[in-house]
Amino acid sequence: MSSISQRGNERLLSEAAGTHSRDYKILVLGGNGYVGSHICKEALKQGFSVSSLSRSGRSSLHDSWVDDVTWHQGDLLSPDSLKPALEGITSVISCVGGFGSNSQMVRINGTANINAVNAAADQGVKRFVYISAADFGVINNLIRGYFEGKRATEAEILDKFGNRGTVLRPGFIHGTRQVGSIKLPLSLIGAPLEMVLKLFPKEVTKIPLIGPLLIPPVNVKSVAGTAVKAAVDPEFASGVIDVYRILQHGH
């Protein structure tokens, strides 16, 4: 192949990739949070149009990428506030979750996200991706409402979106977490644990009591990369994606 032909093919591929990127408009629910902000950055890096909805609206971060996101303020417990943000959206990625009393956790992790799933389905959104959480055995019982809400949302996604819905179940998510003006280097602990624990066979996580503690942590960038793939790639696996598959897809 001549260099001219090769350059022509590269240009066509580049234009095709650009068109593909412009075709996808991603709404990140909770895009100003720890995981959500990394998802916004990853989607922007890949050339997608990105917007976010959260109760506080615009991110408080001063990074340059913040200006490239369309920020919406709304509350998923008031479903009507979601409708304007869903206009023209192709894919939704939800990072919404939190802790509190059992009833609060069911509302935040369950009811709020279920409202979003139903609104997205009614709006004709093509794909829905949800950042859930791995099972931690007996720990689940200590924060029962958290997992009750998460699993209820998962069931709603699989019901409303079927093979167009993906649930990611990471364990401990490490990386650099911004809290006010302080950057918490969670990878100081998470990265070495990830390197060690991912060497163990997956079966060890099934050992009673101690097994769930051997679930490898995963870098927030791997979670973000996997979430964006799931949101834009119609060939990406639907259903529940565990930590080990996130590790594979995120690299």
Side-chain angles (χ1 to χ4, degrees), residues 103-138:
S103 60
Q104 287 173 327
M105 290 189 286
V106 169
R107 285 199 304 273
I108 296 168
N109 298 283
T111 307
N113 281 300
I114 289 170
N115 287 343
V117 172
N118 288 322
D122 291 343
Q123 191 71 22
V125 168
K126 291 182 179 179
R127 301 186 67 80
F128 199 107
V129 182
Y130 178 50
I131 311 300
S132 189
D135 281 315
F136 280 99
V138 293

Side-chain angles (χ1 to χ4, degrees), residues 165-189:
T166 302
V167 171
L168 306 186
R169 283 189 183 175
F172 173 59
I173 302 174
H174 67 87
T176 301
R177 183 167 192 162
Q178 185 93 23
V179 180
S181 60
I182 300 171
K183 291 185 177 181
L184 300 178
L186 302 180
S187 287
L188 288 178
I189 297 171

Side-chain angles (χ1 to χ4, degrees), residues 12-35:
L12 289 172
L13 287 170
S14 176
E15 289 175 355
T19 302
H20 171 77
S21 296
R22 288 194 298 273
D23 286 344
Y24 278 91
K25 296 185 177 180
I26 300 173
L27 173 65
V28 182
L29 303 179
N32 58 2
Y34 171 45
V35 177

Side-chain angles (χ1 to χ4, degrees), residues 136-227:
F136 280 99
V138 293
I139 295 176
N140 289 21
N141 296 324
L142 301 177
I143 46 174
R144 179 175 50 80
Y146 179 83
F147 284 95
E148 185 179 324
K150 291 279 190 187
R151 299 302 176 249
T153 297
E154 292 180 7
E156 194 71 14
I157 291 168
L158 300 180
D159 177 52
K160 292 294 192 300
F161 281 87
N163 62 4
R164 297 177 294 113
T166 302
V167 171
L168 306 186
R169 283 189 183 175
F172 173 59
I173 302 174
H174 67 87
T176 301
R177 183 167 192 162
Q178 185 93 23
V179 180
S181 60
I182 300 171
K183 291 185 177 181
L184 300 178
L186 302 180
S187 287
L188 288 178
I189 297 171
L193 282 175
E194 177 184 335
M195 289 182 64
V196 171
L197 293 179
K198 71 182 181 182
L199 298 176
F200 287 87
K202 181 179 176 180
E203 288 69 28
V204 300
T205 64
K206 307 297 183 185
I207 298 172
L209 297 180
I210 66 166
L213 301 177
L214 301 176
I215 294 173
V218 60
N219 191 288
V220 66
K221 292 180 180 179
S222 295
V223 176
T226 305

